[in-house]
Amino acid sequence: MWRRAATAAAAASGALSRRSWRLAQCRAFSSAAAGKAASVSSAVNSMLLRSLKEHYLEVSKMTPPPKVNPPSPFTVVKGSIDNDGPVLTRTYNDEEISIYVTRLATILPGGVVGEDDGNDDDINQLFLHVSVLKPQHNDSLHFLCGLYPDALGIHSVSMRPKAEASGFVVGPSKYNGPVFEELDQKVRDALHGYIEERGINENLFPFLQAWLYVKDHRNLIRYFKSVGSFISEEKPRKESSQS
């Protein structure tokens, strides 16, 4: 009887030892796998941070264009370089004229225009959103124009709700009017004369092109810095639980 009890105890002890060994082996394997994954993740992060730093330094060395002042009587809206609001403003009689600007590549889908074919349309064509506001009206007269170094063309004319001071031009909420090219030639000529009388012409191009260059440069610098900071930020250590 004692022999059978001793044999059973020995068998149980052996099974327990084998189970403990397997658990220890699994823990060691899991620890090694976690360490390997952490090592791979660290290597990827390091490579990405090096690439971001190289691009950051490259962008930092870019030479900005010569400073260009906007044509009188337009003035630059304070803080416009860091937001998507109006860039230039002026008053004309009782009207407030605001100008927003974007690049051709921002308007059209499919990436940067002319990237592979040598076409410089993305640089030499800008889109202007011209908003004409009158204090007694709830709507503004909105012109979408294409601006070139030597010309300005109107794409559309519509009535739109007044945009808030800190925001971009809001979209039309009512009938947007006929296609501009389908308007009578006399009406088109008169609309061109209307905005030209308010100083909307090709003379705006040098300033707005330089302004967009500075804005793009700042955005790139900010982008590389923010992405790099996010990647390099260490995970907070978990506090050990007290038993």
Side-chain angles (χ1 to χ4, degrees), residues 18-198:
R18 287 192 296 274
R19 190 178 299 113
S20 299
W21 180 83
R22 284 196 296 270
L23 287 173
Q25 192 176 39
C26 288
R27 290 194 188 99
F29 178 80
S30 299
S31 178
K36 184 176 180 181
S39 177
V40 171
S41 178
S42 178
V44 170
N45 287 355
S46 297
M47 182 172 63
L48 178 56
L49 287 171
R50 283 197 301 271
S51 179
L52 288 170
K53 184 177 180 180
E54 289 174 1
H55 283 80
Y56 173 82
L57 293 175
E58 182 179 351
V59 172
S60 300
K61 295 176 182 177
M62 294 171 63
T63 303
K67 185 177 180 180
V68 181
N69 293 320
S72 179
F74 286 98
T75 59
V76 181
V77 176
K78 185 177 180 180
S80 59
I81 198 74
D82 294 316
N83 59 54
D84 293 325
V87 178
L88 296 175
T89 186
R90 65 160 296 187
T91 56
Y92 180 84
N93 296 330
D94 65 338
E95 301 171 352
E96 180 183 343
I97 316 290
S98 298
I99 295 178
Y100 305 71
V101 61
T102 55
R103 292 192 187 280
L104 175 65
T106 306
I107 296 293
L108 299 180
V112 177
V113 178
E115 185 176 31
D116 297 322
D117 58 8
N119 193 338
D120 290 332
D121 281 351
D122 58 313
I123 298 175
N124 291 327
Q125 180 176 357
L126 308 177
F127 276 98
L128 299 188
H129 298 260
V130 181
S131 179
V132 182
L133 289 79
K134 292 185 177 183
Q136 67 271 28
H137 287 272
N138 293 325
D139 291 336
S140 65
L141 184 59
H142 180 268
F143 293 81
L144 174 61
C145 306
L147 178 64
Y148 303 85
D150 56 354
L152 179 138
I154 299 175
H155 291 287
S156 67
V157 182
S158 61
M159 297 298 298
R160 300 192 179 188
K162 287 183 178 179
E164 294 184 4
S166 60
F168 197 72
V169 176
V170 296
S173 60
K174 56 183 72 174
Y175 175 59
N176 201 28
V179 177
F180 186 77
E181 293 301 322
E182 295 178 358
L183 290 172
D184 182 83
Q185 184 64 50
K186 292 182 179 179
V187 176
R188 284 184 282 165
D189 291 343
L191 287 169
H192 274 285
Y194 180 88
I195 61 172
E196 288 174 4
E197 186 179 358
R198 286 154 178 78

